[in-house]
Amino acid sequence: MQLAATSPVVRKHGEHPIDEQQIDPRALKILRQLDEAGFEAYLVGGCIRDLLLGKQPKDFDIATNARPEQIASIFRNCRLIGRRFRLAHIHFGRYIIEVATFRAPPEREARTDSYGSVLEDNHYGTLEDDVVRRDFTINALYYDSKNDEIRDYVGALDDINRRIIRIIGDPVARYTEDPVRMLRAARFSAKLNMPLEADTEAAIVACRDNLRAVPAARLFDEVQKLFMSGYGQTCFDVLQQHGLFEALFPDAEKTIHYPHAAYAQYAKNMMRIALANTDERIAADKPVTIAFLLAAILWPVYQLQYRGLLKERDNWHSAMHEAIDLVHIAASERVAIPVRLRGMIREIWALQARLEQAARGNIRKMHSVLAHPRFRAAYDFLLVRQGAGEDLADLVELWTALQQDPDTAADVEQYCAEQSEDEESAAAPRKRRSRNSNRRKKRD
C-alpha cells in the first residue's frame, strides 16, 4: 500500500458546488458536537461523491479522530458495532448515521486468513492515514463543514471529472486484503455508469477466486446491495463482464452457458427480466423482496435438477422438493440464503406446479391457490417465465382472468368437465347389441 497522503487539493467555499442545505441536518449536528468536544470530524465518502455528481445522497457518513468509546460518551443514541471495523452508529429513530474513527495501517503484520484477507483492522490513525485505507478514490473525499471546504488527497476530483473508478494503492494488494472490493467496484460502476480504470479492472481476473474465502453471510449482504438498489440489471451485466457473477452463483452461471443454446438464452432471460422488474418496482416505490430475484436466478438450475430426478422416480412431488433442497444447499455454499427466504423461494417454485394443476378445472383448487399468501409472487413469477420464452399464454390468461373475477373458476371447471366427458365418450368403445336381444324384442 502507498504511504500516507500529505498534500491535499483543497476546494474552498465558492470553488465547489456543495450547499449546506443539501446536507442532512442530523449529520451537521453530529459534526458540530464532535467539534465542540475538541475532535476533528468530516463528512466522507459516497455522500460527497454524490453531491458533486448532482445526486442526492442516501446516507451521510462521518469520519473523526475520536475513538469509538469517546463517540459513545458524547451521544446517548450511539451504539458500537463490528469486530473487524469498530464503528459507531448514531440512531435517529430508524435512521442511522455511521461515524468511523480514522484508521491507519497496522504497526505489526496484519492478521489474515489463508487467502490473505485481513481478519482484524482496528488500528487508529490520522486523517492522512485514513485516506489511503479507503477503497476507491471517488470515496476518499472529505468535507469540512466548519470551513465549507473539500479535501482531496488521492486525485478523486480528477477521477470524478473523468468519470472513472480507480482503486487506491496497488489493485492486487487491495483486492487480496478484502476481495469484496471487487464486488463494490462492479456496483459503483453500474450505479454511477462509470468504467473501471485499466489497472483496477485488470486485477480482478487475478483476484476473483479470493471471493471463495469471504463468508457466505457477507456475500449475501453484498448480493442485496448489488441487486436491490434499483440498478440490479446493470449490476448483473457488469458482474458478467468481469467474471464475478460466477463467484456468487456458480451453478446459475453454468446454465447461462448451457450446451443447449435455447436453454442458455432462456436462463439469462429469466435473470434479466426479474432484475428489470425489480428495478422498476423500486423506482415506483413498490415493495420488493430478494427472495423473488433469487428464485429467478436459481430457477434454471432447479429445472435441470428436477428433470434429472424425475427420470429416476415416478413421484414428481418428492422429486420437486428434493430438487429444491439440493439447489438451496449448493447455492448456500457461496451465498448464505436465510431460512425465511429459502421458504419463500420454495413456495414460489412449488406454486408453479399448483398453478398448472388447478388450471385443469378443479374449482376448489383454484380458489385455494388464489387465497395462498404467495399467490401474487407466484403469478408474477409465471409472467417472468413466459417473458423468458416458455409457452404459457393460456395459463397466464386464465390466472389473469381469475384474479379479475374469481367466479370465472366455475366456468372453467364446467368447461373442463365437459371436455373430459367428451374425451371419455369419444374414447369409450361402442357396445354391440347381441342378436338374441333383437330376437326377444321381435317375439314380444
Side-chain angles (χ1 to χ4, degrees):
M1 183 181 293
Q2 67 192 72
L3 299 175
T6 54
S7 302
V9 172
V10 178
R11 293 285 184 267
K12 298 183 180 295
H13 176 74
E15 297 177 343
H16 62 76
I18 296 179
D19 186 334
E20 194 175 273
Q21 298 298 317
Q22 299 172 290
I23 301 172
D24 192 308
R26 294 167 292 193
L28 291 173
K29 181 180 178 181
I30 293 171
L31 292 168
R32 185 176 65 253
Q33 288 183 258
L34 287 168
D35 178 65
E36 290 172 354
F39 297 107
E40 292 180 72
Y42 303 87
L43 283 179
V44 65
C47 60
I48 309 304
R49 175 201 69 214
D50 288 349
L51 289 171
L52 292 176
L53 289 170
K55 302 176 182 290
Q56 183 58 37
K58 186 176 68 172
D59 302 305
F60 288 87
D61 295 334
I62 293 172
T64 178
N65 63 344
R67 298 295 178 91
E69 295 75 16
Q70 293 172 317
I71 299 169
S73 69
I74 297 171
F75 302 95
R76 289 184 298 177
N77 53 335
C78 175
R79 300 290 183 274
L80 300 184
I81 67 161
R83 290 184 178 179
R84 179 183 171 190
F85 299 126
R86 193 75 166 149
L87 298 170
H89 278 182
I90 300 181
H91 294 250
F92 297 88
R94 293 186 177 181
Y95 186 75
I96 296 173
I97 292 180
E98 186 173 280
V99 182
T101 303
F102 296 147
R103 297 197 307 275
E107 297 177 358
R108 52 183 172 77
E109 187 175 349
R111 189 164 63 89
T112 62
D113 62 18
S114 59
Y115 287 82
S117 302
V118 177
L119 298 175
E120 188 271 330
D121 202 14
N122 288 312
H123 304 280
Y124 305 122
T126 64
L127 176 124
E128 290 78 13
D129 293 324
D130 190 71
V131 171
V132 294
R133 296 304 306 277
R134 296 194 172 269
D135 47 13
F136 304 100
T137 60
I138 58 173
N139 294 335
L141 289 167
Y142 295 73
Y143 176 73
D144 180 355
S145 62
K146 184 170 63 174
N147 299 308
D148 188 21
E149 63 183 31
I150 295 175
R151 298 187 183 185
D152 175 13
Y153 292 81
V154 290
L157 293 170
D158 287 340
D159 286 346
I160 288 176
N161 289 334
R162 294 170 59 196
R163 297 191 67 81
I164 62 169
I165 295 171
R166 182 196 307 272
I167 202 164
I168 299 171
D170 176 64
V172 172
R174 301 310 303 281
Y175 291 150
T176 301
E177 288 174 356
D178 186 1
V180 166
R181 286 179 177 137
M182 290 180 280
L183 300 179
R184 285 170 57 80
R187 178 157 57 88
F188 290 135
S189 179
K191 176 183 178 180
L192 303 173
N193 191 25
M194 291 183 178
L196 303 183
E197 179 268 337
D199 291 339
T200 301
E201 179 180 14
I204 291 177
V205 177
C207 299
R208 59 192 173 205
D209 283 348
N210 290 349
L211 282 165
R212 295 178 182 177
V214 178
R218 189 178 178 207
L219 288 182
F220 174 75
D221 291 339
E222 291 301 319
V223 165
Q224 290 196 100
K225 294 174 185 176
L226 285 161
F227 295 149
M228 301 295 285
S229 298
Y231 43 90
Q233 187 178 11
T234 308
C235 276
F236 173 75
D237 293 338
V238 174
L239 290 171
Q240 285 274 297
Q241 177 186 345
H242 298 296
L244 292 169
F245 183 76
E246 181 180 7
L248 298 171
F249 300 102
D251 289 337
E253 176 72 13
K254 289 176 184 176
T255 65
I256 296 174
H257 303 286
Y258 196 67
H260 192 287
Y263 193 79
Q265 187 59 53
Y266 165 73
K268 193 167 188 176
N269 290 345
M270 280 290 302
M271 301 174 202
R272 297 193 84 253
I273 292 172
L275 286 162
N277 290 350
T278 299
D279 290 344
E280 291 174 7
R281 291 182 67 85
I282 291 172
D285 200 25
K286 294 181 179 179
V288 293
T289 171
I290 188 74
F292 187 88
L293 277 181
L294 294 173
I297 289 170
L298 297 173
W299 171 260
V301 182
Y302 158 71
Q303 283 289 287
L304 293 176
Q305 188 72 255
Y306 171 65
R307 292 174 190 174
L309 289 173
L310 204 55
K311 292 177 182 178
E312 303 172 2
R313 65 201 65 188
D314 297 329
N315 191 322
W316 68 267
H317 190 268
S318 67
M320 175 182 71
H321 284 286
E322 184 176 347
I324 292 173
D325 289 337
L326 291 172
V327 171
H328 282 168
I329 290 169
S332 293
E333 290 181 3
R334 290 292 181 87
V335 176
I337 305 172
V339 173
R340 177 180 61 85
L341 297 183
R342 293 205 301 268
M344 293 172 66
I345 294 169
R346 182 183 296 273
E347 288 180 316
I348 291 171
W349 288 351
L351 276 168
Q352 300 308 297
R354 291 185 63 186
L355 288 170
E356 294 180 17
Q357 290 178 334
R360 294 170 186 165
N362 187 313
I363 191 170
R364 183 180 60 81
K365 288 183 178 180
M366 288 182 194
H367 284 292
S368 175
V369 171
L370 283 170
H372 195 285
R374 293 277 180 256
F375 166 76
R376 183 65 202 193
Y379 170 77
D380 290 343
F381 197 83
L382 191 71
L383 297 181
V384 173
R385 289 172 58 197
Q386 182 188 32
E390 290 191 54
D391 184 10
L392 300 170
D394 291 342
L395 200 59
V396 168
E397 182 180 0
L398 169 64
W399 287 106
T400 302
L402 286 171
Q403 289 177 82
Q404 296 168 352
D405 182 11
D407 291 338
T408 305
D411 298 332
V412 174
E413 184 181 43
Q414 182 178 354
Y415 172 78
C416 291
E418 291 173 354
Q419 290 291 102
S420 179
E421 288 176 4
D422 291 343
E423 291 174 1
E424 289 178 4
S425 60
R430 288 188 175 182
K431 292 184 179 180
R432 296 180 62 185
R433 277 184 167 180
S434 67
R435 292 180 180 179
N436 291 334
S437 63
N438 290 333
R439 290 171 184 166
R440 280 195 296 270
K441 286 183 179 178
K442 288 180 181 179
R443 289 172 185 168
D444 294 341

